[in-house]
Amino acid sequence: MRVLIVTAVPAERDAVVRGIGATAPEVAELPVPGGMIHRLSPVPPAEPPLTVDVLAAGVGPAAAAAGTAAALTAAAVARTPYDLAVSAGIGGGFTTARPSATTRPTAERPAPAQSAPARLGSIVVADAIVAADLGAETPDGFTAVTDLGFGTVEHLPPAPLVAAVAEATDAVRGTVLTVSTVTGSAERAAELLRRHPRAAAEAMEGFGVAEAAAAQSVPALEVRAISNAVGPRDRAAWRIGEALEALTSTFGTIAPLLGTWTLDPEGTRQ
């Protein structure tokens, strides 16, 4: 089993490495185009054998996609392809109650389910990875790129893996939004929640990782530790250290799950 974990910055990478390193000490640093992979392997060897590679690919969806694609391609060329790609790091949480839906529910169109608020220091596991600002502004508001007839804006992580990770870490399950511009106002936070009622967190890399993984038929997962509330930027209220500690603890807990999880041809956990 081979797992690629992609973070934005070295601090996040190091937090993940510390967590997994409790049972899988780092054994090598390996260069890939544009970055350096930190490789960990469990001692004693797991059954099936597990290799975890952790890469800090840079900030934003473009850097995340480029770094992930480079690592996935290098592994495929070496005939050691990855079985799973994980976007990991800290992020903003939708910490308040959800606004009312913009349209009235009907029998044909029921109200979408909503995720629980994500408190500071908590963990969010994405059951959907969504590019929230990939599209166009129109006189009627934002239009997703898919409504313009192009591309995709959503990737769905494997549901059994999401459930297992969430249960093991007491995480919030919900949509994690990928944005190129971090939200800085209450108005935009409310707009995002109106468009994505199940949004639990906002970050900048998940969709890039998932898009690169999908191009090579590799399943993707996103795990976020909440460092701040989505909305007005109040640096005094940020809890980056606490979030990084939560990230370390989470990956220490879920490393065995990553080592035993696979997809069978029907897409269920074996």
Side-chain angles (χ1 to χ4, degrees):
M1 183 71 176
R2 294 174 56 81
V3 178
L4 174 66
I5 301 175
V6 182
T7 71
V9 298
E12 295 167 321
R13 176 201 64 205
D14 294 346
V16 171
V17 167
R18 283 194 300 272
I20 298 176
T23 56
E26 185 171 341
V27 295
E29 292 186 10
L30 305 171
V32 294
M36 183 72 68
I37 279 176
H38 291 240
R39 176 161 293 173
L40 302 100
S41 185
V43 178
E47 291 295 338
L50 170 66
T51 297
V52 178
D53 290 344
V54 189
L55 171 68
V59 174
T68 302
L72 292 175
T73 300
V77 169
R79 298 179 184 249
T80 56
Y82 290 105
D83 300 289
L84 177 68
V86 182
S87 176
I90 64 176
F94 289 94
T95 59
T96 59
R98 274 48 179 161
S100 300
T102 55
T103 58
R104 178 172 297 182
T106 65
E108 294 76 20
R109 186 182 296 220
Q114 298 178 349
S115 65
R119 59 179 174 78
L120 299 189
S122 68
I123 296 296
V124 172
V125 180
D127 56 18
I129 301 169
V130 173
D133 56 6
L134 182 59
E137 291 290 342
T138 75
D140 296 322
F142 178 81
T143 298
V145 71
T146 46
D147 293 329
L148 301 173
F150 304 104
T152 185
V153 295
E154 180 181 71
H155 291 286
L156 300 178
L161 180 58
V162 171
V165 170
E167 181 178 359
T169 60
D170 194 27
V172 173
R173 277 185 263 183
T175 299
V176 176
L177 305 180
T178 299
V179 294
S180 294
T181 301
V182 172
T183 297
S185 69
E187 292 76 15
R188 186 176 190 235
E191 177 194 352
L192 289 173
L193 278 178
R194 283 192 294 270
R195 285 172 21 213
H196 306 284
R198 298 197 67 259
E202 170 190 273
M204 300 182 74
E205 293 80 31
F207 187 80
V209 172
E211 187 83 342
Q216 300 197 33
S217 300
V218 175
L221 180 71
E222 184 167 9
V223 178
R224 293 286 165 181
I226 302 305
S227 60
N228 59 278
V230 176
R233 291 173 66 81
D234 179 7
R235 295 179 70 92
W238 293 0
R239 298 292 182 266
I240 292 177
E242 181 181 342
L244 290 172
E245 290 176 3
L247 199 64
T248 294
S249 176
T250 293
F251 275 89
T253 298
I254 69 174
L257 293 175
L258 300 180
T260 59
W261 180 88
T262 59
L263 282 176
D264 67 17
E266 285 71 43
T268 57
R269 186 182 176 190
Q270 294 179 325

PDB file of all heavy atoms in Angstrom, residues 5 7 10-26 38-40 52-55 247-248 251:
ATOM      1  N   ILE A   5       0.694  11.902   0.708  1.00  0.00           N
ATOM      2  CA  ILE A   5       0.034  12.954   1.474  1.00  0.00           C
ATOM      3  C   ILE A   5       0.635  14.292   1.047  1.00  0.00           C
ATOM      4  O   ILE A   5       1.855  14.472   1.087  1.00  0.00           O
ATOM      5  CB  ILE A   5       0.205  12.749   2.987  1.00  0.00           C
ATOM      6  CG1 ILE A   5      -0.384  11.388   3.400  1.00  0.00           C
ATOM      7  CG2 ILE A   5      -0.469  13.876   3.762  1.00  0.00           C
ATOM      8  CD1 ILE A   5      -0.161  11.037   4.857  1.00  0.00           C
ATOM      9  N   THR A   7       0.674  18.443   1.477  1.00  0.00           N
ATOM     10  CA  THR A   7       0.345  19.624   2.265  1.00  0.00           C
ATOM     11  C   THR A   7       0.759  20.859   1.465  1.00  0.00           C
ATOM     12  O   THR A   7       1.420  20.762   0.430  1.00  0.00           O
ATOM     13  CB  THR A   7       1.064  19.625   3.624  1.00  0.00           C
ATOM     14  OG1 THR A   7       2.466  19.869   3.426  1.00  0.00           O
ATOM     15  CG2 THR A   7       0.880  18.304   4.355  1.00  0.00           C
ATOM     16  N   PRO A  10       5.714  23.552   4.694  1.00  0.00           N
ATOM     17  CA  PRO A  10       6.498  22.610   5.493  1.00  0.00           C
ATOM     18  C   PRO A  10       5.972  22.390   6.913  1.00  0.00           C
ATOM     19  O   PRO A  10       6.098  21.286   7.454  1.00  0.00           O
ATOM     20  CB  PRO A  10       7.892  23.246   5.504  1.00  0.00           C
ATOM     21  CG  PRO A  10       7.972  23.986   4.203  1.00  0.00           C
ATOM     22  CD  PRO A  10       6.581  24.546   4.014  1.00  0.00           C
ATOM     23  N   ALA A  11       5.389  23.408   7.549  1.00  0.00           N
ATOM     24  CA  ALA A  11       4.882  23.223   8.910  1.00  0.00           C
ATOM     25  C   ALA A  11       3.798  22.158   8.950  1.00  0.00           C
ATOM     26  O   ALA A  11       3.732  21.352   9.897  1.00  0.00           O
ATOM     27  CB  ALA A  11       4.353  24.547   9.461  1.00  0.00           C
ATOM     28  N   GLU A  12       2.937  22.145   7.941  1.00  0.00           N
ATOM     29  CA  GLU A  12       1.898  21.108   7.864  1.00  0.00           C
ATOM     30  C   GLU A  12       2.520  19.751   7.570  1.00  0.00           C
ATOM     31  O   GLU A  12       2.137  18.737   8.165  1.00  0.00           O
ATOM     32  CB  GLU A  12       0.882  21.473   6.787  1.00  0.00           C
ATOM     33  CG  GLU A  12       0.087  22.732   7.082  1.00  0.00           C
ATOM     34  CD  GLU A  12      -0.680  23.224   5.872  1.00  0.00           C
ATOM     35  OE1 GLU A  12      -0.142  23.154   4.740  1.00  0.00           O
ATOM     36  OE2 GLU A  12      -1.819  23.688   6.049  1.00  0.00           O
ATOM     37  N   ARG A  13       3.459  19.727   6.635  1.00  0.00           N
ATOM     38  CA  ARG A  13       4.156  18.470   6.324  1.00  0.00           C
ATOM     39  C   ARG A  13       4.798  17.892   7.576  1.00  0.00           C
ATOM     40  O   ARG A  13       4.666  16.688   7.867  1.00  0.00           O
ATOM     41  CB  ARG A  13       5.224  18.725   5.262  1.00  0.00           C
ATOM     42  CG  ARG A  13       6.091  17.514   4.908  1.00  0.00           C
ATOM     43  CD  ARG A  13       7.389  17.955   4.274  1.00  0.00           C
ATOM     44  NE  ARG A  13       8.196  18.735   5.207  1.00  0.00           N
ATOM     45  CZ  ARG A  13       9.105  19.633   4.841  1.00  0.00           C
ATOM     46  NH1 ARG A  13       9.310  19.893   3.549  1.00  0.00           N
ATOM     47  NH2 ARG A  13       9.809  20.285   5.766  1.00  0.00           N
ATOM     48  N   ASP A  14       5.487  18.732   8.339  1.00  0.00           N
ATOM     49  CA  ASP A  14       6.181  18.246   9.530  1.00  0.00           C
ATOM     50  C   ASP A  14       5.200  17.736  10.574  1.00  0.00           C
ATOM     51  O   ASP A  14       5.493  16.761  11.287  1.00  0.00           O
ATOM     52  CB  ASP A  14       7.053  19.348  10.109  1.00  0.00           C
ATOM     53  CG  ASP A  14       8.199  19.742   9.180  1.00  0.00           C
ATOM     54  OD1 ASP A  14       8.479  18.988   8.228  1.00  0.00           O
ATOM     55  OD2 ASP A  14       8.792  20.816   9.404  1.00  0.00           O
ATOM     56  N   ALA A  15       4.031  18.378  10.680  1.00  0.00           N
ATOM     57  CA  ALA A  15       3.017  17.904  11.623  1.00  0.00           C
ATOM     58  C   ALA A  15       2.529  16.516  11.243  1.00  0.00           C
ATOM     59  O   ALA A  15       2.358  15.638  12.109  1.00  0.00           O
ATOM     60  CB  ALA A  15       1.844  18.888  11.665  1.00  0.00           C
ATOM     61  N   VAL A  16       2.309  16.288   9.948  1.00  0.00           N
ATOM     62  CA  VAL A  16       1.885  14.964   9.481  1.00  0.00           C
ATOM     63  C   VAL A  16       2.987  13.934   9.728  1.00  0.00           C
ATOM     64  O   VAL A  16       2.724  12.828  10.213  1.00  0.00           O
ATOM     65  CB  VAL A  16       1.514  15.025   7.991  1.00  0.00           C
ATOM     66  CG1 VAL A  16       1.285  13.612   7.434  1.00  0.00           C
ATOM     67  CG2 VAL A  16       0.265  15.878   7.790  1.00  0.00           C
ATOM     68  N   VAL A  17       4.220  14.301   9.408  1.00  0.00           N
ATOM     69  CA  VAL A  17       5.345  13.381   9.591  1.00  0.00           C
ATOM     70  C   VAL A  17       5.491  12.994  11.060  1.00  0.00           C
ATOM     71  O   VAL A  17       5.740  11.827  11.387  1.00  0.00           O
ATOM     72  CB  VAL A  17       6.645  14.006   9.047  1.00  0.00           C
ATOM     73  CG1 VAL A  17       7.871  13.211   9.503  1.00  0.00           C
ATOM     74  CG2 VAL A  17       6.605  14.066   7.524  1.00  0.00           C
ATOM     75  N   ARG A  18       5.317  13.964  11.966  1.00  0.00           N
ATOM     76  CA  ARG A  18       5.417  13.648  13.400  1.00  0.00           C
ATOM     77  C   ARG A  18       4.355  12.639  13.805  1.00  0.00           C
ATOM     78  O   ARG A  18       4.624  11.723  14.601  1.00  0.00           O
ATOM     79  CB  ARG A  18       5.277  14.921  14.238  1.00  0.00           C
ATOM     80  CG  ARG A  18       6.507  15.791  14.274  1.00  0.00           C
ATOM     81  CD  ARG A  18       6.411  16.840  15.374  1.00  0.00           C
ATOM     82  NE  ARG A  18       5.271  17.733  15.204  1.00  0.00           N
ATOM     83  CZ  ARG A  18       5.299  18.856  14.492  1.00  0.00           C
ATOM     84  NH1 ARG A  18       6.404  19.218  13.862  1.00  0.00           N
ATOM     85  NH2 ARG A  18       4.221  19.630  14.401  1.00  0.00           N
ATOM     86  N   GLY A  19       3.143  12.806  13.277  1.00  0.00           N
ATOM     87  CA  GLY A  19       2.069  11.889  13.652  1.00  0.00           C
ATOM     88  C   GLY A  19       2.309  10.489  13.153  1.00  0.00           C
ATOM     89  O   GLY A  19       2.247   9.508  13.917  1.00  0.00           O
ATOM     90  N   ILE A  20       2.586  10.353  11.877  1.00  0.00           N
ATOM     91  CA  ILE A  20       2.816   9.021  11.312  1.00  0.00           C
ATOM     92  C   ILE A  20       4.133   8.451  11.825  1.00  0.00           C
ATOM     93  O   ILE A  20       4.271   7.240  12.015  1.00  0.00           O
ATOM     94  CB  ILE A  20       2.805   9.089   9.779  1.00  0.00           C
ATOM     95  CG1 ILE A  20       1.434   9.556   9.289  1.00  0.00           C
ATOM     96  CG2 ILE A  20       3.150   7.738   9.162  1.00  0.00           C
ATOM     97  CD1 ILE A  20       1.336   9.757   7.800  1.00  0.00           C
ATOM     98  N   GLY A  21       5.109   9.324  12.108  1.00  0.00           N
ATOM     99  CA  GLY A  21       6.423   8.875  12.546  1.00  0.00           C
ATOM    100  C   GLY A  21       6.424   8.164  13.880  1.00  0.00           C
ATOM    101  O   GLY A  21       7.410   7.497  14.222  1.00  0.00           O
ATOM    102  N   ALA A  22       5.334   8.273  14.642  1.00  0.00           N
ATOM    103  CA  ALA A  22       5.264   7.540  15.908  1.00  0.00           C
ATOM    104  C   ALA A  22       5.328   6.040  15.678  1.00  0.00           C
ATOM    105  O   ALA A  22       5.831   5.290  16.521  1.00  0.00           O
ATOM    106  CB  ALA A  22       3.981   7.911  16.653  1.00  0.00           C
ATOM    107  N   THR A  23       4.803   5.577  14.536  1.00  0.00           N
ATOM    108  CA  THR A  23       4.827   4.143  14.216  1.00  0.00           C
ATOM    109  C   THR A  23       5.539   3.862  12.900  1.00  0.00           C
ATOM    110  O   THR A  23       5.770   2.708  12.564  1.00  0.00           O
ATOM    111  CB  THR A  23       3.394   3.583  14.118  1.00  0.00           C
ATOM    112  OG1 THR A  23       2.666   4.343  13.145  1.00  0.00           O
ATOM    113  CG2 THR A  23       2.690   3.665  15.461  1.00  0.00           C
ATOM    114  N   ALA A  24       5.876   4.896  12.146  1.00  0.00           N
ATOM    115  CA  ALA A  24       6.511   4.713  10.840  1.00  0.00           C
ATOM    116  C   ALA A  24       7.628   5.735  10.688  1.00  0.00           C
ATOM    117  O   ALA A  24       7.437   6.773  10.079  1.00  0.00           O
ATOM    118  CB  ALA A  24       5.481   4.861   9.721  1.00  0.00           C
ATOM    119  N   PRO A  25       8.804   5.460  11.245  1.00  0.00           N
ATOM    120  CA  PRO A  25       9.880   6.440  11.203  1.00  0.00           C
ATOM    121  C   PRO A  25      10.258   6.826   9.771  1.00  0.00           C
ATOM    122  O   PRO A  25      10.163   6.020   8.851  1.00  0.00           O
ATOM    123  CB  PRO A  25      11.044   5.705  11.890  1.00  0.00           C
ATOM    124  CG  PRO A  25      10.384   4.651  12.721  1.00  0.00           C
ATOM    125  CD  PRO A  25       9.159   4.251  11.989  1.00  0.00           C
ATOM    126  N   GLU A  26      10.702   8.080   9.631  1.00  0.00           N
ATOM    127  CA  GLU A  26      11.129   8.551   8.313  1.00  0.00           C
ATOM    128  C   GLU A  26      12.384   7.801   7.890  1.00  0.00           C
ATOM    129  O   GLU A  26      13.323   7.630   8.667  1.00  0.00           O
ATOM    130  CB  GLU A  26      11.393  10.051   8.359  1.00  0.00           C
ATOM    131  CG  GLU A  26      11.723  10.658   7.008  1.00  0.00           C
ATOM    132  CD  GLU A  26      11.756  12.172   7.062  1.00  0.00           C
ATOM    133  OE1 GLU A  26      11.198  12.751   8.014  1.00  0.00           O
ATOM    134  OE2 GLU A  26      12.348  12.754   6.146  1.00  0.00           O
ATOM    135  N   HIS A  38       9.165  13.283   1.774  1.00  0.00           N
ATOM    136  CA  HIS A  38       9.622  12.658   3.009  1.00  0.00           C
ATOM    137  C   HIS A  38       8.943  11.290   3.098  1.00  0.00           C
ATOM    138  O   HIS A  38       7.721  11.214   3.222  1.00  0.00           O
ATOM    139  CB  HIS A  38       9.280  13.521   4.222  1.00  0.00           C
ATOM    140  CG  HIS A  38      10.068  14.788   4.281  1.00  0.00           C
ATOM    141  ND1 HIS A  38      10.896  15.114   5.328  1.00  0.00           N
ATOM    142  CD2 HIS A  38      10.179  15.809   3.395  1.00  0.00           C
ATOM    143  CE1 HIS A  38      11.465  16.278   5.100  1.00  0.00           C
ATOM    144  NE2 HIS A  38      11.043  16.719   3.934  1.00  0.00           N
ATOM    145  N   ARG A  39       9.739  10.234   3.030  1.00  0.00           N
ATOM    146  CA  ARG A  39       9.192   8.868   2.985  1.00  0.00           C
ATOM    147  C   ARG A  39       9.250   8.230   4.358  1.00  0.00           C
ATOM    148  O   ARG A  39      10.266   8.302   5.062  1.00  0.00           O
ATOM    149  CB  ARG A  39       9.962   8.022   1.973  1.00  0.00           C
ATOM    150  CG  ARG A  39       9.535   6.547   1.933  1.00  0.00           C
ATOM    151  CD  ARG A  39       9.970   5.886   0.648  1.00  0.00           C
ATOM    152  NE  ARG A  39       9.236   6.461  -0.490  1.00  0.00           N
ATOM    153  CZ  ARG A  39       9.505   6.171  -1.761  1.00  0.00           C
ATOM    154  NH1 ARG A  39      10.500   5.341  -2.058  1.00  0.00           N
ATOM    155  NH2 ARG A  39       8.792   6.710  -2.728  1.00  0.00           N
ATOM    156  N   LEU A  40       8.138   7.616   4.733  1.00  0.00           N
ATOM    157  CA  LEU A  40       8.047   6.894   5.991  1.00  0.00           C
ATOM    158  C   LEU A  40       7.617   5.460   5.710  1.00  0.00           C
ATOM    159  O   LEU A  40       6.840   5.196   4.799  1.00  0.00           O
ATOM    160  CB  LEU A  40       7.040   7.560   6.937  1.00  0.00           C
ATOM    161  CG  LEU A  40       7.320   9.026   7.277  1.00  0.00           C
ATOM    162  CD1 LEU A  40       6.436   9.934   6.434  1.00  0.00           C
ATOM    163  CD2 LEU A  40       7.076   9.293   8.748  1.00  0.00           C
ATOM    164  N   VAL A  52       4.430   5.604   3.147  1.00  0.00           N
ATOM    165  CA  VAL A  52       3.765   6.903   3.163  1.00  0.00           C
ATOM    166  C   VAL A  52       4.763   7.958   2.731  1.00  0.00           C
ATOM    167  O   VAL A  52       5.834   8.096   3.337  1.00  0.00           O
ATOM    168  CB  VAL A  52       3.212   7.240   4.560  1.00  0.00           C
ATOM    169  CG1 VAL A  52       2.563   8.620   4.542  1.00  0.00           C
ATOM    170  CG2 VAL A  52       2.216   6.189   5.017  1.00  0.00           C
ATOM    171  N   ASP A  53       4.429   8.699   1.688  1.00  0.00           N
ATOM    172  CA  ASP A  53       5.246   9.805   1.206  1.00  0.00           C
ATOM    173  C   ASP A  53       4.521  11.116   1.493  1.00  0.00           C
ATOM    174  O   ASP A  53       3.333  11.247   1.173  1.00  0.00           O
ATOM    175  CB  ASP A  53       5.503   9.685  -0.295  1.00  0.00           C
ATOM    176  CG  ASP A  53       6.431   8.528  -0.640  1.00  0.00           C
ATOM    177  OD1 ASP A  53       7.106   8.015   0.271  1.00  0.00           O
ATOM    178  OD2 ASP A  53       6.481   8.138  -1.823  1.00  0.00           O
ATOM    179  N   VAL A  54       5.225  12.086   2.086  1.00  0.00           N
ATOM    180  CA  VAL A  54       4.623  13.366   2.455  1.00  0.00           C
ATOM    181  C   VAL A  54       5.349  14.475   1.697  1.00  0.00           C
ATOM    182  O   VAL A  54       6.582  14.568   1.745  1.00  0.00           O
ATOM    183  CB  VAL A  54       4.687  13.609   3.971  1.00  0.00           C
ATOM    184  CG1 VAL A  54       3.867  14.833   4.345  1.00  0.00           C
ATOM    185  CG2 VAL A  54       4.185  12.384   4.741  1.00  0.00           C
ATOM    186  N   LEU A  55       4.568  15.322   1.022  1.00  0.00           N
ATOM    187  CA  LEU A  55       5.111  16.360   0.154  1.00  0.00           C
ATOM    188  C   LEU A  55       4.468  17.698   0.473  1.00  0.00           C
ATOM    189  O   LEU A  55       3.241  17.797   0.521  1.00  0.00           O
ATOM    190  CB  LEU A  55       4.835  16.001  -1.311  1.00  0.00           C
ATOM    191  CG  LEU A  55       5.130  17.056  -2.378  1.00  0.00           C
ATOM    192  CD1 LEU A  55       6.634  17.302  -2.487  1.00  0.00           C
ATOM    193  CD2 LEU A  55       4.543  16.639  -3.718  1.00  0.00           C
ATOM    194  N   LEU A 247      -3.532  18.027  13.859  1.00  0.00           N
ATOM    195  CA  LEU A 247      -3.145  17.329  12.633  1.00  0.00           C
ATOM    196  C   LEU A 247      -2.178  16.193  12.951  1.00  0.00           C
ATOM    197  O   LEU A 247      -2.313  15.073  12.425  1.00  0.00           O
ATOM    198  CB  LEU A 247      -2.505  18.332  11.674  1.00  0.00           C
ATOM    199  CG  LEU A 247      -2.422  17.955  10.202  1.00  0.00           C
ATOM    200  CD1 LEU A 247      -3.801  17.806   9.584  1.00  0.00           C
ATOM    201  CD2 LEU A 247      -1.620  19.006   9.447  1.00  0.00           C
ATOM    202  N   THR A 248      -1.207  16.450  13.813  1.00  0.00           N
ATOM    203  CA  THR A 248      -0.264  15.408  14.224  1.00  0.00           C
ATOM    204  C   THR A 248      -0.991  14.246  14.881  1.00  0.00           C
ATOM    205  O   THR A 248      -0.774  13.069  14.550  1.00  0.00           O
ATOM    206  CB  THR A 248       0.777  15.987  15.195  1.00  0.00           C
ATOM    207  OG1 THR A 248       1.578  16.939  14.495  1.00  0.00           O
ATOM    208  CG2 THR A 248       1.679  14.903  15.756  1.00  0.00           C
ATOM    209  N   PHE A 251      -3.096  12.121  12.300  1.00  0.00           N
ATOM    210  CA  PHE A 251      -2.368  11.204  11.421  1.00  0.00           C
ATOM    211  C   PHE A 251      -1.694  10.087  12.191  1.00  0.00           C
ATOM    212  O   PHE A 251      -1.480   9.003  11.646  1.00  0.00           O
ATOM    213  CB  PHE A 251      -1.403  11.982  10.520  1.00  0.00           C
ATOM    214  CG  PHE A 251      -2.099  12.497   9.289  1.00  0.00           C
ATOM    215  CD1 PHE A 251      -2.708  13.739   9.299  1.00  0.00           C
ATOM    216  CD2 PHE A 251      -2.212  11.713   8.158  1.00  0.00           C
ATOM    217  CE1 PHE A 251      -3.397  14.206   8.186  1.00  0.00           C
ATOM    218  CE2 PHE A 251      -2.898  12.171   7.045  1.00  0.00           C
ATOM    219  CZ  PHE A 251      -3.492  13.411   7.044  1.00  0.00           C
TER     220      PHE A 251
END
